[in-house]
Structure formats: structure tokens, C-alpha cells
Amino acid sequence: MRQTELYDLIVIGGGPGGYNAAERAAHAGLKTLLFEKRALGGVCLNEGCIPSKALLNSAKTYEHALHAATYGVTCNAVTINQEAVVARKAKVVRTLVSGIHAKMKHAGVTVVMGEAMIAGKDNNGFLVSAEGKTYTGKHLIIATGSSNVIPPLPGIQENLGSFVLTNREVLELREIPREFVVIGGGVIGLEMACYYNTVGSKVTVVEMLDHIAGPTDRQISTMLQKELERKGVTFLLGHNVQSAEPGTVIAVDANGQRKAISADKVLLSIGRRANCTGIGLENIGVAYGRGITTDTMCRTNVPNVYAIGDVNGHYMLAHTAYREGEVAVNTILGKGDTMRYHANPSVIYTQPEIASVGMTEEACKAKGIDYEVSKLSMRYSGRFVAENEGADGLCKIIIDRKRRTILGVHLIGIYSGEIIWGAAEMIEMQLRVTDARQIIFPHPTVSEIIREVLWEFND
């Protein structure tokens, strides 16, 4: 292959971490090359975060219209048009992908659309090949993301993409399935269960654990489960799926009791696996296990090679990837910067939303931390009551009993995802309860619930 010009930085993967790192590096004066094999924005923009939110917003609008009379508004013959919902989702994605292309051009990033392979290393840097050409970079950021875990169960592989759907296909359904089964009660599974339940599907969620929403605070996840059950979602907890043949999903509980679940479509969402293979890591000796091994500056075991986003396996969240990319670029530039994961927020965009940052009660107990908890119903917020007839929610704050610093904040209710960043800042800055009380919250906002809970602690 013919070697082309030398770059200061090559980024492999144009998802949130990759394109953000490329832009930051280029603006800092580094000659930067970005590879992306499918579409800029990666899974998050094209098949995950953004398109799912477009669907969920349509469902939210539909639900509001259905219950408009509660707020004194008359709506007649409310329907949802799945074709139109999917078309709008596609428009949103196209707009944002186009925006990323424009950002890369404005920053001066060279973009190559093609599958990249790390070919080796020479005296000038790292060799990366794609589309019949080889490129050289002094530094390398690997941001190849993750892929769906596909279990070797009867019916899964054979029906993948038709009866059994991943996050990619489920966002393209033009017809609303009458019976919809979700395998996995994590973020993706719950969001899609919420959407299809709202628009008319009979939804069943099968989860192998005894709770939903993974590491989410147990009280919060239980409240979400009860609310979704009230809306008609069925949960089979402590069940393992054995097969998924067209029309039927077979699951068994801990006692071996077998259950057949009718299904027109099945969403497989049991987790994701870091994309570490097939990209040439072995050609330069990068160490990896479940993800590429990195330190707090996102450095791998190979000098001048970094790994960010899902591929390093720390937190498979787009906003984490953004920050990791910035840390990697700052390290390349010689600026002191490190990743701190203790104040990493997460949101599940169900209806109601749940948002968390910091430690849960379960995590505090597991680590033997002496903690204290205060919590209040969201109905202590004037705006929440004004906008949510008959609804409820919760704000829960966990603090270090001795130091009085904030360890965790957990919310369920409207706007939780928009509020949580402020709680993350409190934890990042290691604020004590007395410090956080001095912050002025705008009124009336749902965010004021955090201030109300802070005043529940006894000094």
C-alpha cells in the first residue's frame, strides 16, 4: 500500500468520543484524521441515543394528547402514525449527522469514510490502513465503540433482523407490533418497552436479575417498574430466555418453571460488547480484556495510543466518551487532565425519567461507607404538581455521615435528565450539605426539589 502524509493524530471511530476528540485536537492545532466505517455520530446518533429520543418524544406527545382533558384541553380522535414517527426520526438523524460533517470541516479534520485497520508501527508513528491506502499518525485514539451481545440461543441468530431485533432494527419498525417482548431490562430495553407500550403494544420485559435498570438505586428502579406496570407493561424478573422462535419466546424462572410468551417482535437488549477485535490491536501490542485497558488519562499500555468510549469498557455512555476524548487530547497536548468517574451521571428516558449520579445505597453498603439518606416526593415541587396531575416521583440524596459531603443523587420524575448535571457538579466539587444549600435555584422549577431534600438533613 502507498503511504500518505503524516498526521499528528489519527482517530479510529466517528462516534461521540471520536468526533469530539478529533474536533478538540484540530482546534488545538493538531493535524487530525478521523475514520468512520458507517456514519458519523456512531451508534449513539444513528441507532441509539438520538433516534430513540425522537421516538420517545412522539410517544410523550401522544400520551399528553390522550390525557389532555385532565388539563382542560379537548383533543378529538388522537392517533399515532408510526410511519410519520419513523420518518421524523430519520430527519432528525440526517440533520445532526450533517451537522457533524460541517463541524469536522470547520475544524479542519480530514474525514475518511471506511473501515480502518491498525497495520503496525514505524519510525514516524502508527500505520492505519483503509480503502486501499495507508496513513501514519504520531498519536492514535481508538474509539471503535461496542456491539450488541448476541447469545447462542435457539432462534436468535436465525431470526436476527426479522423476528428478533437489535437497537438498530427496532427503531425502523413501520408497524406497531401487537405483542412485543423485550429481552433485557436495562436502559435500551426499558426505553423501548416504554415507547411501544405507550403506542399500543402489549409489552413483556424478560430480565434475568431480580430487578430492572441494572445498577440504578433500587428504590428508584422499583418505583419505575411499578409505574410501567400500572401502564400495562408485564415484567418477568429472574427469568432466563431459552429460545426465541417466530411467534414465541420461551423463558424459565429460577425453579425451572417454563413460560411461553407470545410475540410478534422481540427486542434483544442484554448488553453490549467492546469492539476490540478485527481492528489490528495485536499489530501494535495493545492490551485488552472485556475492553481496552486504560489508565485515568485514557492511555493504553502502548505509548501514544489512547482508547475512549465504549471500547475501553468503563462506562458505555456517550457523555462519558466526550469527556474521555477531551482527557486524551489534553494529555497529548501536555495539559494535565484525568478522568474522574465518581460523578458520572446516567439517565433512562422512560416516562417517567430516572436520573442518577454518584453512589447508591447498595454501593455504599457494599463498600462499608457510613452514609445518611434524605428523600422527598416530587410533589414538594410546585412546578411538578402544576404540570403532572396525579403523578408522583422522588428525589433521594445520599451523603457521607461524617464529612457531610454529597455522595449520590437519584431522581425519578419529569425533567430528571435535565436536572442531574447540577447534582453531578455538587459531587464533582465535593460539596458539603451546607455548601450546596447556599446555591440559589430558580423558582418555580422541578430542580428545587434537590434544595428541599438538602434541608431535610440534620446538621
Side-chain angles (χ1 to χ4, degrees), residues 23 86 90 102 108 125 142 238 250 290 311 330 342 345 361 408 418-419:
E23 181 185 18
V86 173
I142 303 167
I250 303 296
R290 297 182 65 180
V311 75
N330 283 338
H342 69 287
E361 283 198 74
E418 298 294 336
I419 295 168

Side-chain angles (χ1 to χ4, degrees), residues 8-12 21 30 118 126 138-144 279 281 284 286 292-309 311-312 324-335 337:
D8 295 314
L9 172 64
I10 291 179
V11 181
I12 303 177
L30 297 181
I118 302 168
F126 301 96
K138 296 177 184 177
H139 299 86
L140 181 62
I141 292 180
I142 303 167
T144 49
I279 58 175
L281 295 182
I284 55 173
V286 172
I292 295 177
T293 305
T294 58
D295 64 10
T296 58
M297 289 179 276
C298 300
R299 298 178 299 187
T300 70
N301 63 303
V302 177
N304 300 323
V305 179
Y306 303 77
I308 65 173
V311 75
N312 68 27
E324 288 174 334
E326 291 164 354
V327 167
V329 171
N330 283 338
T331 301
I332 292 169
L333 295 171
K335 300 178 180 179
D337 202 356

Side-chain angles (χ1 to χ4, degrees), residues 360-402:
T360 63
E361 283 198 74
E362 292 77 25
C364 287
K365 290 174 182 175
K367 292 189 175 183
I369 295 173
D370 187 15
Y371 70 93
E372 187 178 331
V373 175
S374 282
K375 51 193 172 185
L376 282 174
S377 162
M378 282 287 192
R379 295 186 66 79
Y380 278 79
S381 160
R383 186 176 181 187
F384 183 90
V385 174
E387 296 187 8
N388 295 270
E389 182 68 25
D392 203 353
L394 184 74
C395 175
K396 180 178 191 176
I397 298 179
I398 301 169
I399 68 169
D400 184 297
R401 189 183 299 276
K402 294 179 181 178

Side-chain angles (χ1 to χ4, degrees), residues 10-19 22 33-47 97 100-101 104 109-117 128-131 135 141-146 168 275:
I10 291 179
V11 181
I12 303 177
Y19 75 72
L33 172 64
L34 174 66
F35 289 101
E36 170 53 45
K37 68 178 182 180
R38 290 177 61 86
L40 286 181
V43 170
C44 178
L45 174 49
N46 294 278
E47 303 163 2
V97 170
I100 294 173
H101 277 280
M104 296 302 99
V109 175
T110 300
V111 177
V112 174
M113 300 303 298
E115 187 167 3
M117 172 69 70
V128 181
S129 60
E131 302 297 301
Y135 306 82
I141 292 180
I142 303 167
T144 49
S146 63
R168 181 180 300 169
N275 292 330

Side-chain angles (χ1 to χ4, degrees), residues 68-137:
T70 303
Y71 302 91
V73 178
T74 301
C75 291
N76 296 317
V78 178
T79 60
I80 191 160
N81 182 334
Q82 182 71 0
E83 286 272 4
V85 169
V86 173
R88 179 181 179 274
K89 177 268 301 179
K91 182 184 72 172
V92 168
V93 170
R94 286 195 305 271
T95 299
L96 294 175
V97 170
S98 176
I100 294 173
H101 277 280
K103 289 181 72 173
M104 296 302 99
K105 183 177 180 180
H106 176 72
V109 175
T110 300
V111 177
V112 174
M113 300 303 298
E115 187 167 3
M117 172 69 70
I118 302 168
K121 189 178 187 300
D122 65 13
N123 292 332
N124 292 317
F126 301 96
L127 307 176
V128 181
S129 60
E131 302 297 301
K133 294 183 179 180
T134 299
Y135 306 82
T136 306

Side-chain angles (χ1 to χ4, degrees), residues 105-395:
K105 183 177 180 180
H106 176 72
V109 175
T110 300
V111 177
V112 174
M113 300 303 298
E115 187 167 3
M117 172 69 70
I118 302 168
K121 189 178 187 300
D122 65 13
N123 292 332
N124 292 317
F126 301 96
L127 307 176
V128 181
S129 60
E131 302 297 301
K133 294 183 179 180
T134 299
Y135 306 82
T136 306
K138 296 177 184 177
H139 299 86
L140 181 62
I141 292 180
I142 303 167
T144 49
S146 63
S147 302
N148 286 292
V149 173
I150 309 296
L153 296 174
I156 298 290
Q157 287 282 3
E158 302 92 314
N159 300 293
L160 199 61
S162 54
F163 173 61
V164 179
L165 313 175
T166 68
N167 62 290
R168 181 180 300 169
E169 297 88 15
V170 76
L171 297 169
E172 299 297 330
L173 288 181
R174 262 55 178 185
E175 295 182 359
I176 298 169
R178 188 173 58 86
E179 294 180 305
F180 186 63
V181 173
V182 177
I183 303 175
V187 177
I188 298 170
L190 291 172
E191 290 182 354
M192 289 298 95
C194 183
Y195 175 77
Y196 282 102
N197 168 254
T198 300
V199 300
S201 298
K202 178 184 177 183
V203 177
T204 302
V205 177
V206 184
E207 169 56 54
M208 65 181 294
L209 300 177
D210 63 356
H211 62 279
I212 63 171
T216 301
D217 180 271
R218 197 64 55 86
Q219 183 178 11
I220 297 290
S221 64
T222 298
M223 289 180 67
L224 176 63
Q225 180 182 334
K226 289 181 178 178
E227 178 61 18
L228 294 180
E229 286 175 334
R230 186 186 69 80
K231 293 181 176 182
V233 178
T234 298
F235 288 91
L236 296 178
L237 304 182
H239 281 69
N240 283 291
V241 171
Q242 286 194 324
S243 65
E245 303 289 354
T248 307
V249 173
I250 303 296
V252 295
D253 63 17
N255 299 316
Q257 188 70 32
R258 185 174 179 273
K259 186 174 183 63
I261 314 154
S262 297
D264 296 306
K265 293 290 183 182
V266 173
L267 171 61
L268 180 66
S269 56
I270 62 172
R272 298 184 67 82
R273 180 180 291 112
N275 292 330
C276 297
T277 59
I279 58 175
L281 295 182
E282 64 281 359
N283 294 330
I284 55 173
V286 172
Y288 66 92
R290 297 182 65 180
I292 295 177
T293 305
T294 58
D295 64 10
T296 58
M297 289 179 276
C298 300
R299 298 178 299 187
T300 70
N301 63 303
V302 177
N304 300 323
V305 179
Y306 303 77
I308 65 173
D310 288 10
V311 75
N312 68 27
H314 287 294
Y315 283 87
M316 291 189 176
L317 297 168
H319 47 275
T320 308
Y322 283 139
R323 179 67 187 128
E324 288 174 334
E326 291 164 354
V327 167
V329 171
N330 283 338
T331 301
I332 292 169
L333 295 171
K335 300 178 180 179
D337 202 356
T338 59
M339 277 302 299
R340 298 178 299 279
Y341 294 102
H342 69 287
N344 195 53
S346 62
V347 183
I348 303 180
Y349 297 87
T350 45
Q351 181 70 351
E353 284 184 358
I354 62 177
S356 303
V357 64
M359 301 190 74
T360 63
E361 283 198 74
E362 292 77 25
C364 287
K365 290 174 182 175
K367 292 189 175 183
I369 295 173
D370 187 15
Y371 70 93
E372 187 178 331
V373 175
S374 282
K375 51 193 172 185
L376 282 174
S377 162
M378 282 287 192
R379 295 186 66 79
Y380 278 79
S381 160
R383 186 176 181 187
F384 183 90
V385 174
E387 296 187 8
N388 295 270
E389 182 68 25
D392 203 353
L394 184 74
C395 175

